[in-house]
Amino acid sequence: MSHRALTTIGFDADDTLWQNEQFFRLTEERFVALLGSHGEAAEISGKLLEAERRNLAFYGFGIKGFTLSMIETAIEVTKGDVPAGVIAEILAAGREMLAHPVETLPHAAETLQALSGEYRLVLITKGDLFDQERKLAQSGLGDIFDGVEIVSDKSAATYERVFARHGDGAQKAMMVGNSLKSDILPALAAGSWAVHVPHALTWALEHAEEPEGQGRYHKLPDLIGLHPLIRKIGQDC
Ligand SMILES: [Mg+2]
């Protein structure tokens, strides 16, 4: 057990270390265009979001669940008349997402390099297991992490468990991520520091109110400021 106040730093992956949401948006545009003769774009998008929300409890987060939700929405908006060719295009779009090259975000690699050695670094991500393993391998960032946790959801209990396993408990840990709902609020609830690094694109189901009156909450425009912030927290404690 370290005497230091902060020993372990958790990083979200999608839209924190590499691009993710933009691929969902592009695929959604393609999906809406495919069904263009069956309704307005906003209406079809709305039905897709409803399907995703309904299906989260069955499929969890990730591209496979998104693909199934697109198929379900196509059946719904065509009132059961969706041609097999359209289903085939939806499946192909999902597979293309699963094969898309990983684009790491600016400053991700250098930030992790600067912190490694001094802190235990843990990748904490949700989504399809296979897809997240692929992206981590392709990103070239895998070796920097002391631990990798691909979880089905991110709750306060998740952070308590992960930071107990890989560090000195949630109280001595920090979570860094782009989602207030998944990365920030539950990490704060577990007693950790939480650093919100917003991404221009955030999925509607990841929105949440910004926390107020939380001394351990910080917000940064990008990852450049993370190392200085962590150093400052170390001095203040
Ligand atoms: Mg994310």
Side-chain angles (χ1 to χ4, degrees), residues 100-221:
H100 203 284
V102 174
E103 279 178 43
T104 51
L105 284 163
H107 319 297
E110 72 210 48
T111 299
L112 293 169
Q113 294 286 2
L115 295 167
S116 76
E118 213 180 327
Y119 297 91
R120 252 161 300 172
L121 304 183
V122 188
L123 185 81
I124 308 170
T125 179
K126 56 187 164 67
D128 295 320
L129 177 63
F130 190 72
D131 184 41
Q132 295 294 16
E133 287 177 343
R134 170 190 79 93
K135 289 191 285 190
L136 182 61
Q138 268 188 24
S139 72
L141 302 173
D143 290 342
I144 305 178
F145 290 100
D146 300 285
V148 173
E149 292 276 346
I150 300 168
V151 298
S152 56
D153 205 355
K154 290 172 167 175
S155 63
T158 309
Y159 290 113
E160 282 167 17
R161 175 172 56 79
V162 169
F163 288 133
R165 180 182 297 165
H166 294 283
D168 304 301
Q171 292 279 339
K172 292 194 170 202
M174 168 188 280
M175 183 63 192
V176 180
N178 72 298
S179 168
L180 285 168
K181 183 166 183 285
S182 296
D183 304 316
I184 304 306
L185 298 181
L188 288 170
S192 304
W193 279 273
V195 180
H196 184 212
V197 186
H199 187 282
L201 299 175
T202 297
W203 187 33
L205 299 187
E206 292 291 345
H207 286 293
E209 289 296 314
E210 198 169 350
E212 277 177 45
Q214 290 266 13
R216 288 193 158 199
Y217 171 65
H218 296 271
K219 183 176 179 175
L220 293 174

